[in-house]
Amino acid sequence: MTPQSDGPCELDVARADLIHAVEIVAGLMGKQSSGVSLQFEVGWLWIESGAGIAKTPARGIWPLTIIVGRSWVRRLAKNMPAGDPV
């Protein structure tokens, strides 16, 4: 069963910190990696794919682990959304 949220799920992450974490994972994930997991836990956003793992400080509410395709990390590393925090 999937946990339910009473409100919007969102995180605030400093732009420079998120860029650094995404670049680490994008540079370390292998060609065999099919997905990337994003998990928020006790003030940290964890981004993991294969051998690539990074964490960055974050605040907000995000109760679920999200799995995205590995191309998402590479695209995000090249095209980070504007604004700070992201």
Side-chain angles (χ1 to χ4, degrees):
M1 181 167 205
T2 308
Q4 296 295 316
S5 171
D6 291 333
C9 296
E10 60 182 47
L11 294 179
D12 287 333
V13 183
R15 182 180 173 79
D17 292 341
L18 184 58
I19 289 170
H20 184 69
V22 167
E23 287 175 346
I24 288 171
V25 174
L28 292 176
M29 68 182 179
K31 294 183 181 204
Q32 301 301 320
S33 300
S34 60
V36 177
S37 68
L38 298 115
Q39 181 177 357
F40 178 63
E41 198 173 285
V42 192
W44 295 96
L45 173 62
W46 293 83
I47 305 170
E48 181 177 3
S49 179
I53 186 167
K55 68 179 185 174
T56 183
R59 61 188 171 134
I61 298 171
W62 192 345
L64 302 173
T65 298
I66 305 297
I67 307 294
V68 296
R70 70 184 199 154
S71 63
W72 177 88
V73 169
R74 292 195 171 124
R75 285 193 316 265
L76 184 61
K78 293 178 183 176
N79 299 302
M80 186 64 61
D84 194 13
V86 176

Coordinates of all heavy atoms in Angstrom, one line a residue:
M1 N 0.8 -1.2 0.0 CA 0.0 0.0 0.0 C 0.9 1.2 0.0 O 1.9 1.3 0.7 CB -0.9 0.0 1.2 CG -1.8 1.1 1.3 SD -3.1 0.8 2.5 CE -4.3 1.8 1.9
T2 N 0.5 2.2 -0.7 CA 1.3 3.5 -0.9 C 0.8 4.5 0.2 O -0.4 4.7 0.4 CB 1.0 4.1 -2.2 OG1 1.3 3.2 -3.2 CG2 1.9 5.3 -2.4
P3 N 1.8 5.1 1.0 CA 1.4 6.0 2.0 C 0.7 7.3 1.3 O 1.1 7.7 0.3 CB 2.7 6.5 2.6 CG 3.8 5.8 1.9 CD 3.2 4.9 0.9
Q4 N -0.3 7.8 2.0 CA -1.0 8.9 1.5 C -0.5 10.2 2.1 O -0.1 10.2 3.3 CB -2.5 8.8 1.8 CG -3.2 7.6 1.0 CD -3.1 7.8 -0.5 OE1 -3.4 8.9 -1.0 NE2 -2.8 6.8 -1.2
S5 N -0.5 11.3 1.4 CA -0.1 12.6 1.9 C -1.3 13.5 2.1 O -2.2 13.5 1.2 CB 0.9 13.2 0.9 OG 1.2 14.5 1.3
D6 N -1.3 14.3 3.1 CA -2.4 15.2 3.4 C -2.2 16.5 2.6 O -3.2 17.3 2.4 CB -2.5 15.6 4.8 CG -3.0 14.4 5.6 OD1 -3.7 13.5 5.1 OD2 -2.6 14.3 6.8
G7 N -1.1 16.8 2.1 CA -0.8 18.1 1.4 C 0.1 17.9 0.3 O 0.5 16.7 -0.1
P8 N 0.6 19.0 -0.3 CA 1.5 18.9 -1.5 C 2.8 18.3 -1.0 O 3.3 18.6 0.1 CB 1.6 20.3 -1.9 CG 1.2 21.2 -0.8 CD 0.3 20.3 0.1
C9 N 3.4 17.6 -1.9 CA 4.7 17.0 -1.7 C 5.7 17.9 -2.5 O 5.6 18.0 -3.7 CB 4.8 15.6 -2.2 SG 3.8 14.5 -1.2
E10 N 6.6 18.5 -1.7 CA 7.6 19.4 -2.4 C 8.8 19.5 -1.5 O 8.8 19.4 -0.3 CB 7.0 20.8 -2.7 CG 6.6 21.6 -1.5 CD 6.0 22.9 -1.9 OE1 5.1 23.0 -2.9 OE2 6.3 23.9 -1.3
L11 N 10.0 19.7 -2.2 CA 11.2 20.0 -1.5 C 11.8 21.3 -2.0 O 11.7 21.6 -3.2 CB 12.2 18.8 -1.8 CG 11.9 17.4 -1.2 CD1 13.0 16.5 -1.7 CD2 11.7 17.5 0.3
D12 N 12.6 21.9 -1.1 CA 13.4 23.0 -1.5 C 14.9 22.6 -1.4 O 15.3 22.1 -0.3 CB 13.2 24.2 -0.6 CG 11.9 24.9 -0.9 OD1 11.4 24.8 -2.0 OD2 11.4 25.6 0.1
V13 N 15.7 22.8 -2.4 CA 17.1 22.4 -2.4 C 17.9 23.6 -3.0 O 17.5 24.1 -4.0 CB 17.3 21.1 -3.3 CG1 18.8 20.7 -3.3 CG2 16.4 20.0 -2.9
A14 N 19.0 23.9 -2.4 CA 19.8 25.0 -2.9 C 20.3 24.6 -4.3 O 20.7 23.5 -4.5 CB 21.0 25.3 -2.0
R15 N 20.2 25.5 -5.2 CA 20.5 25.3 -6.6 C 22.0 24.7 -6.8 O 22.2 23.7 -7.4 CB 20.4 26.6 -7.4 CG 20.7 26.4 -8.9 CD 20.5 27.8 -9.6 NE 20.9 27.7 -11.0 CZ 20.2 27.2 -11.9 NH1 19.0 26.7 -11.7 NH2 20.6 27.2 -13.2
A16 N 22.9 25.3 -6.1 CA 24.3 24.9 -6.3 C 24.5 23.5 -5.7 O 25.2 22.6 -6.3 CB 25.3 25.8 -5.6
D17 N 23.8 23.2 -4.6 CA 23.9 21.8 -4.0 C 23.3 20.8 -4.9 O 23.8 19.7 -5.1 CB 23.2 21.8 -2.6 CG 24.0 22.6 -1.6 OD1 25.2 22.9 -1.8 OD2 23.3 22.9 -0.6
L18 N 22.1 21.1 -5.5 CA 21.5 20.1 -6.4 C 22.3 19.9 -7.6 O 22.5 18.8 -8.1 CB 20.1 20.6 -6.7 CG 19.3 19.7 -7.6 CD1 19.1 18.3 -6.9 CD2 17.9 20.3 -7.9
I19 N 22.9 21.0 -8.2 CA 23.7 20.8 -9.4 C 24.9 19.9 -9.0 O 25.2 19.0 -9.8 CB 24.2 22.2 -9.9 CG1 23.1 23.0 -10.5 CG2 25.4 22.0 -10.9 CD1 23.4 24.4 -10.8
H20 N 25.5 20.1 -7.9 CA 26.7 19.3 -7.5 C 26.3 17.8 -7.4 O 27.0 16.9 -7.9 CB 27.3 19.8 -6.2 CG 28.5 19.1 -5.8 ND1 29.7 19.2 -6.5 CD2 28.7 18.3 -4.8 CE1 30.6 18.5 -5.9 NE2 30.0 17.9 -4.8
A21 N 25.2 17.5 -6.7 CA 24.7 16.1 -6.5 C 24.4 15.5 -7.8 O 24.7 14.3 -8.0 CB 23.5 16.1 -5.5
V22 N 23.7 16.2 -8.7 CA 23.2 15.6 -9.9 C 24.5 15.3 -10.8 O 24.5 14.3 -11.5 CB 22.2 16.5 -10.7 CG1 22.0 16.2 -12.1 CG2 20.9 16.5 -9.9
E23 N 25.4 16.2 -10.8 CA 26.6 16.0 -11.6 C 27.4 14.8 -11.1 O 28.0 14.0 -11.9 CB 27.5 17.3 -11.6 CG 26.9 18.4 -12.5 CD 27.7 19.7 -12.4 OE1 28.6 19.8 -11.5 OE2 27.5 20.5 -13.3
I24 N 27.5 14.6 -9.8 CA 28.2 13.4 -9.2 C 27.5 12.1 -9.8 O 28.2 11.2 -10.3 CB 28.2 13.5 -7.7 CG1 29.1 14.5 -7.2 CG2 28.5 12.1 -7.1 CD1 29.0 14.8 -5.7
V25 N 26.2 12.1 -9.6 CA 25.5 10.8 -10.0 C 25.6 10.6 -11.5 O 25.8 9.5 -12.0 CB 24.0 10.9 -9.6 CG1 23.2 9.7 -10.1 CG2 24.0 10.9 -8.0
A26 N 25.4 11.7 -12.3 CA 25.5 11.6 -13.8 C 26.9 11.1 -14.2 O 27.0 10.3 -15.1 CB 25.2 12.9 -14.4
G27 N 27.9 11.5 -13.5 CA 29.3 11.1 -13.9 C 29.6 9.7 -13.4 O 30.5 9.1 -14.1
L28 N 29.0 9.2 -12.4 CA 29.3 7.9 -11.9 C 28.4 6.8 -12.3 O 28.8 5.6 -12.2 CB 29.4 7.9 -10.3 CG 30.5 8.8 -9.7 CD1 30.3 8.8 -8.2 CD2 31.8 8.2 -10.1
M29 N 27.2 7.1 -12.8 CA 26.3 6.0 -13.1 C 26.8 5.3 -14.4 O 27.3 5.9 -15.4 CB 24.9 6.5 -13.3 CG 24.6 7.4 -14.4 SD 22.8 7.8 -14.3 CE 22.7 8.9 -15.7
G30 N 26.7 4.0 -14.4 CA 27.2 3.2 -15.5 C 26.1 3.1 -16.6 O 25.0 3.5 -16.5
K31 N 26.5 2.5 -17.7 CA 25.6 2.3 -18.8 C 24.6 1.3 -18.5 O 23.5 1.2 -19.2 CB 26.4 1.9 -20.1 CG 27.3 3.0 -20.6 CD 28.0 2.7 -21.8 CE 28.9 3.8 -22.2 NZ 29.2 3.9 -23.6
Q32 N 24.8 0.4 -17.5 CA 23.9 -0.6 -17.2 C 22.7 -0.1 -16.3 O 21.7 -0.7 -16.1 CB 24.6 -1.7 -16.4 CG 25.7 -2.4 -17.2 CD 25.1 -3.0 -18.5 OE1 24.0 -3.6 -18.5 NE2 25.8 -2.8 -19.6
S33 N 22.9 1.1 -15.7 CA 21.9 1.7 -14.9 C 20.6 2.0 -15.7 O 20.7 2.7 -16.7 CB 22.4 3.0 -14.2 OG 23.5 2.7 -13.4
S34 N 19.5 1.5 -15.3 CA 18.3 1.8 -16.0 C 17.4 2.9 -15.4 O 16.6 3.5 -16.0 CB 17.5 0.5 -16.1 OG 17.1 0.0 -14.9
G35 N 17.7 3.1 -14.1 CA 16.9 4.1 -13.4 C 17.7 4.8 -12.3 O 18.8 4.4 -11.9
V36 N 17.1 5.9 -11.8 CA 17.7 6.7 -10.8 C 16.6 6.8 -9.7 O 15.4 7.1 -10.0 CB 18.0 8.1 -11.3 CG1 18.6 9.0 -10.2 CG2 19.0 8.0 -12.5
S37 N 17.0 6.6 -8.4 CA 16.1 6.8 -7.3 C 16.3 8.1 -6.6 O 17.5 8.5 -6.5 CB 16.1 5.6 -6.4 OG 17.4 5.7 -5.7
L38 N 15.3 8.8 -6.2 CA 15.3 10.0 -5.5 C 14.5 9.7 -4.2 O 13.4 9.3 -4.3 CB 14.7 11.2 -6.2 CG 15.4 11.5 -7.5 CD1 14.5 11.2 -8.7 CD2 15.9 12.9 -7.5
Q39 N 15.2 10.0 -3.1 CA 14.5 9.7 -1.8 C 14.9 10.8 -0.8 O 16.0 11.2 -0.7 CB 15.0 8.3 -1.3 CG 14.4 7.9 0.1 CD 14.9 6.6 0.5 OE1 15.6 5.9 -0.2 NE2 14.5 6.2 1.7
F40 N 13.9 11.3 -0.1 CA 14.1 12.3 0.9 C 14.0 11.6 2.3 O 13.1 10.9 2.6 CB 13.0 13.4 0.8 CG 13.1 14.4 1.8 CD1 14.2 15.3 1.9 CD2 12.1 14.6 2.8 CE1 14.3 16.3 2.9 CE2 12.1 15.6 3.7 CZ 13.2 16.5 3.8
E41 N 15.0 11.9 3.1 CA 15.1 11.3 4.4 C 15.8 12.2 5.4 O 17.0 12.5 5.2 CB 15.9 10.0 4.2 CG 15.8 9.0 5.3 CD 16.5 7.7 5.0 OE1 15.9 6.9 4.1 OE2 17.6 7.4 5.5
V42 N 15.1 12.6 6.4 CA 15.7 13.4 7.5 C 16.6 14.5 7.1 O 17.7 14.7 7.4 CB 16.4 12.5 8.5 CG1 16.7 13.2 9.8 CG2 15.7 11.2 8.8
G43 N 16.0 15.4 6.2 CA 16.7 16.6 5.8 C 17.7 16.4 4.6 O 18.4 17.3 4.2
W44 N 17.7 15.2 4.0 CA 18.6 15.0 2.9 C 17.8 14.4 1.7 O 17.0 13.5 1.8 CB 19.7 14.0 3.3 CG 20.6 14.5 4.3 CD1 20.5 14.2 5.7 CD2 21.7 15.3 4.1 NE1 21.5 14.9 6.3 CE2 22.3 15.5 5.4 CE3 22.4 15.9 3.0 CZ2 23.4 16.3 5.6 CZ3 23.5 16.6 3.2 CH2 24.0 16.8 4.5
L45 N 18.1 14.9 0.5 CA 17.7 14.3 -0.7 C 18.8 13.4 -1.3 O 19.9 13.9 -1.5 CB 17.3 15.4 -1.8 CG 17.0 14.9 -3.2 CD1 15.7 14.0 -3.1 CD2 16.8 16.0 -4.2
W46 N 18.5 12.1 -1.4 CA 19.4 11.1 -1.9 C 19.1 10.9 -3.3 O 18.0 10.6 -3.7 CB 19.3 9.8 -1.1 CG 19.7 9.9 0.3 CD1 19.0 10.4 1.4 CD2 21.0 9.6 0.9 NE1 19.7 10.4 2.5 CE2 21.0 9.9 2.2 CE3 22.2 9.1 0.3 CZ2 22.1 9.7 3.1 CZ3 23.3 8.9 1.1 CH2 23.2 9.2 2.5
I47 N 20.2 10.9 -4.2 CA 20.0 10.6 -5.6 C 21.0 9.5 -5.9 O 22.2 9.6 -5.6 CB 20.4 11.8 -6.5 CG1 19.5 13.0 -6.1 CG2 20.2 11.5 -7.9 CD1 20.0 14.3 -6.7
E48 N 20.4 8.3 -6.4 CA 21.3 7.1 -6.6 C 21.0 6.4 -7.9 O 19.8 6.3 -8.3 CB 21.0 6.2 -5.4 CG 21.8 4.9 -5.4 CD 21.5 4.1 -4.2 OE1 20.7 4.4 -3.4 OE2 22.2 3.0 -4.2
S49 N 22.0 6.0 -8.5 CA 21.9 5.2 -9.7 C 23.2 4.4 -9.9 O 24.3 4.9 -10.0 CB 21.7 6.0 -11.0 OG 21.7 5.2 -12.1
G50 N 23.0 3.1 -9.8 CA 24.2 2.2 -10.0 C 25.3 2.5 -8.9 O 25.0 2.6 -7.8
A51 N 26.5 2.8 -9.4 CA 27.6 3.2 -8.5 C 27.5 4.7 -8.1 O 28.3 5.1 -7.2 CB 28.9 2.9 -9.2
G52 N 26.7 5.4 -8.7 CA 26.6 6.9 -8.4 C 25.6 7.1 -7.3 O 24.4 6.8 -7.4
I53 N 26.0 7.8 -6.2 CA 25.1 8.2 -5.1 C 25.6 9.5 -4.6 O 26.8 9.7 -4.4 CB 25.0 7.1 -4.0 CG1 24.0 7.5 -3.0 CG2 26.4 6.8 -3.4 CD1 23.6 6.3 -2.1
A54 N 24.6 10.4 -4.3 CA 25.0 11.7 -3.7 C 23.8 12.1 -2.9 O 22.7 11.7 -3.1 CB 25.2 12.7 -4.9
K55 N 24.1 12.9 -1.9 CA 23.0 13.5 -1.1 C 23.2 15.0 -1.0 O 24.4 15.5 -1.1 CB 23.0 12.9 0.3 CG 24.2 13.2 1.2 CD 24.0 12.6 2.5 CE 25.1 13.0 3.4 NZ 25.0 12.5 4.8
T56 N 22.1 15.7 -0.8 CA 22.2 17.2 -0.7 C 21.1 17.6 0.3 O 20.1 17.0 0.4 CB 21.9 17.8 -2.1 OG1 22.1 19.2 -1.9 CG2 20.6 17.5 -2.6
P57 N 21.4 18.6 1.1 CA 20.5 19.1 2.1 C 19.2 19.5 1.4 O 19.2 20.1 0.3 CB 21.1 20.3 2.8 CG 22.6 20.1 2.5 CD 22.7 19.4 1.2
A58 N 18.0 19.2 2.0 CA 16.7 19.6 1.4 C 15.8 19.8 2.6 O 16.0 19.2 3.7 CB 16.3 18.5 0.5
R59 N 14.7 20.5 2.3 CA 13.6 20.6 3.3 C 12.3 20.6 2.6 O 12.2 21.0 1.5 CB 13.8 21.9 4.2 CG 13.7 23.1 3.4 CD 14.1 24.3 4.2 NE 14.2 25.4 3.3 CZ 13.6 26.6 3.5 NH1 13.0 26.9 4.6 NH2 13.7 27.5 2.6
G60 N 11.3 20.0 3.3 CA 10.0 19.9 2.8 C 9.4 18.6 3.1 O 9.8 17.9 4.1
I61 N 8.4 18.1 2.3 CA 7.7 16.9 2.5 C 7.8 16.1 1.2 O 7.4 16.6 0.1 CB 6.2 17.2 2.9 CG1 6.2 17.9 4.2 CG2 5.5 15.9 2.9 CD1 4.8 18.4 4.5
W62 N 8.3 14.9 1.3 CA 8.4 14.0 0.1 C 8.4 12.6 0.7 O 9.5 12.0 0.9 CB 9.6 14.3 -0.7 CG 9.6 13.7 -2.1 CD1 8.8 12.7 -2.5 CD2 10.5 14.1 -3.1 NE1 9.2 12.4 -3.8 CE2 10.2 13.2 -4.2 CE3 11.5 15.0 -3.3 CZ2 10.9 13.3 -5.4 CZ3 12.1 15.1 -4.5 CH2 11.8 14.2 -5.5
P63 N 7.3 11.9 0.9 CA 7.3 10.7 1.6 C 7.7 9.4 0.8 O 7.9 8.4 1.3 CB 5.9 10.5 2.1 CG 5.1 11.3 1.1 CD 6.0 12.4 0.7
L64 N 7.7 9.5 -0.5 CA 7.9 8.4 -1.4 C 9.3 8.4 -2.1 O 9.8 9.5 -2.3 CB 6.8 8.3 -2.5 CG 5.4 8.3 -2.0 CD1 4.4 8.4 -3.1 CD2 5.2 7.0 -1.2
T65 N 9.8 7.2 -2.4 CA 10.9 7.1 -3.3 C 10.4 7.2 -4.7 O 9.5 6.6 -5.1 CB 11.7 5.8 -3.1 OG1 12.1 5.7 -1.7 CG2 12.8 5.6 -4.0
I66 N 11.1 8.1 -5.5 CA 10.7 8.3 -6.9 C 11.8 7.6 -7.8 O 13.0 7.8 -7.5 CB 10.7 9.8 -7.2 CG1 9.7 10.5 -6.3 CG2 10.3 10.0 -8.7 CD1 8.3 10.1 -6.3
I67 N 11.4 6.9 -8.8 CA 12.3 6.3 -9.8 C 12.1 7.0 -11.1 O 11.0 7.1 -11.6 CB 12.1 4.8 -9.9 CG1 12.1 4.1 -8.6 CG2 13.1 4.2 -10.9 CD1 13.4 4.0 -7.8
V68 N 13.2 7.5 -11.7 CA 13.1 8.1 -13.0 C 14.2 7.4 -13.9 O 15.1 6.8 -13.4 CB 13.4 9.6 -12.9 CG1 12.3 10.3 -12.1 CG2 14.8 9.9 -12.3
G69 N 14.0 7.6 -15.2 CA 15.0 7.1 -16.1 C 16.4 7.8 -16.0 O 16.4 8.9 -15.6
R70 N 17.4 7.1 -16.3 CA 18.8 7.6 -16.1 C 19.0 8.9 -17.0 O 19.8 9.8 -16.7 CB 19.8 6.6 -16.4 CG 20.0 6.2 -17.8 CD 21.0 5.1 -17.9 NE 21.4 5.1 -19.3 CZ 22.6 4.6 -19.7 NH1 23.4 4.2 -18.8 NH2 22.9 4.6 -21.0
S71 N 18.3 9.0 -18.1 CA 18.5 10.2 -19.0 C 18.0 11.4 -18.3 O 18.4 12.5 -18.6 CB 17.7 10.0 -20.3 OG 16.3 9.9 -20.1
W72 N 17.1 11.3 -17.3 CA 16.6 12.4 -16.5 C 17.7 13.1 -15.8 O 17.8 14.4 -15.8 CB 15.5 11.9 -15.5 CG 15.0 13.0 -14.7 CD1 13.9 13.9 -14.9 CD2 15.5 13.4 -13.4 NE1 13.7 14.7 -13.9 CE2 14.7 14.5 -12.9 CE3 16.5 13.0 -12.6 CZ2 14.9 15.1 -11.7 CZ3 16.7 13.6 -11.3 CH2 15.9 14.6 -10.9
V73 N 18.6 12.4 -15.2 CA 19.7 13.0 -14.5 C 20.6 13.7 -15.4 O 21.1 14.8 -15.1 CB 20.5 11.9 -13.7 CG1 21.8 12.5 -13.1 CG2 19.6 11.4 -12.6
R74 N 20.9 13.2 -16.5 CA 21.8 13.8 -17.5 C 21.2 15.1 -18.1 O 21.8 16.1 -18.2 CB 22.2 12.9 -18.6 CG 23.1 11.7 -18.1 CD 23.7 11.0 -19.2 NE 24.7 10.1 -18.5 CZ 24.8 8.8 -18.7 NH1 23.9 8.2 -19.5 NH2 25.7 8.1 -18.1
R75 N 19.9 15.0 -18.3 CA 19.2 16.2 -18.8 C 19.1 17.3 -17.8 O 19.3 18.5 -18.0 CB 17.8 15.9 -19.3 CG 17.7 15.2 -20.6 CD 16.3 15.1 -21.3 NE 15.3 14.8 -20.3 CZ 14.8 13.5 -20.1 NH1 15.3 12.5 -20.8 NH2 13.8 13.3 -19.3
L76 N 18.9 16.9 -16.5 CA 18.8 17.9 -15.4 C 20.2 18.5 -15.2 O 20.2 19.7 -14.9 CB 18.3 17.2 -14.1 CG 18.1 18.1 -12.9 CD1 17.1 19.2 -13.2 CD2 17.7 17.3 -11.7
A77 N 21.2 17.7 -15.3 CA 22.6 18.3 -15.1 C 22.9 19.4 -16.1 O 23.6 20.4 -15.8 CB 23.6 17.2 -15.2
K78 N 22.4 19.2 -17.3 CA 22.6 20.2 -18.4 C 21.6 21.4 -18.4 O 21.9 22.4 -18.9 CB 22.5 19.5 -19.8 CG 23.7 18.5 -20.0 CD 23.5 17.9 -21.3 CE 24.6 16.8 -21.5 NZ 24.5 16.1 -22.8
N79 N 20.4 21.2 -17.8 CA 19.3 22.2 -17.9 C 18.7 22.3 -16.5 O 17.5 22.0 -16.4 CB 18.3 21.7 -18.9 CG 18.9 21.6 -20.3 OD1 19.4 22.6 -20.8 ND2 18.8 20.5 -20.9
M80 N 19.4 22.8 -15.6 CA 18.8 23.0 -14.2 C 17.8 24.1 -14.3 O 18.0 25.1 -14.9 CB 19.9 23.3 -13.2 CG 19.5 23.4 -11.8 SD 18.9 21.9 -11.1 CE 20.3 20.8 -11.2
P81 N 16.6 23.9 -13.7 CA 15.6 24.9 -13.6 C 16.1 26.2 -13.0 O 17.0 26.1 -12.1 CB 14.5 24.3 -12.8 CG 14.7 22.9 -12.8 CD 16.2 22.7 -13.0
A82 N 15.6 27.3 -13.4 CA 16.1 28.6 -12.8 C 15.5 28.7 -11.4 O 14.6 28.1 -11.0 CB 15.5 29.8 -13.7
G83 N 16.1 29.6 -10.7 CA 15.7 29.9 -9.3 C 16.6 29.3 -8.2 O 17.3 28.3 -8.5
D84 N 16.5 29.8 -7.1 CA 17.2 29.3 -5.9 C 16.4 29.6 -4.7 O 16.2 30.8 -4.4 CB 18.6 29.9 -5.8 CG 19.5 29.2 -4.9 OD1 19.2 28.0 -4.5 OD2 20.6 29.7 -4.6
P85 N 15.9 28.7 -4.0 CA 16.1 27.2 -4.1 C 15.3 26.7 -5.3 O 14.3 27.3 -5.7 CB 15.7 26.6 -2.8 CG 14.7 27.6 -2.3 CD 15.1 28.9 -2.8
V86 N 15.7 25.5 -5.7 CA 15.0 24.8 -6.8 C 13.9 24.0 -6.1 O 14.1 23.4 -5.1 CB 16.0 23.8 -7.6 CG1 15.3 23.0 -8.6 CG2 17.1 24.7 -8.2

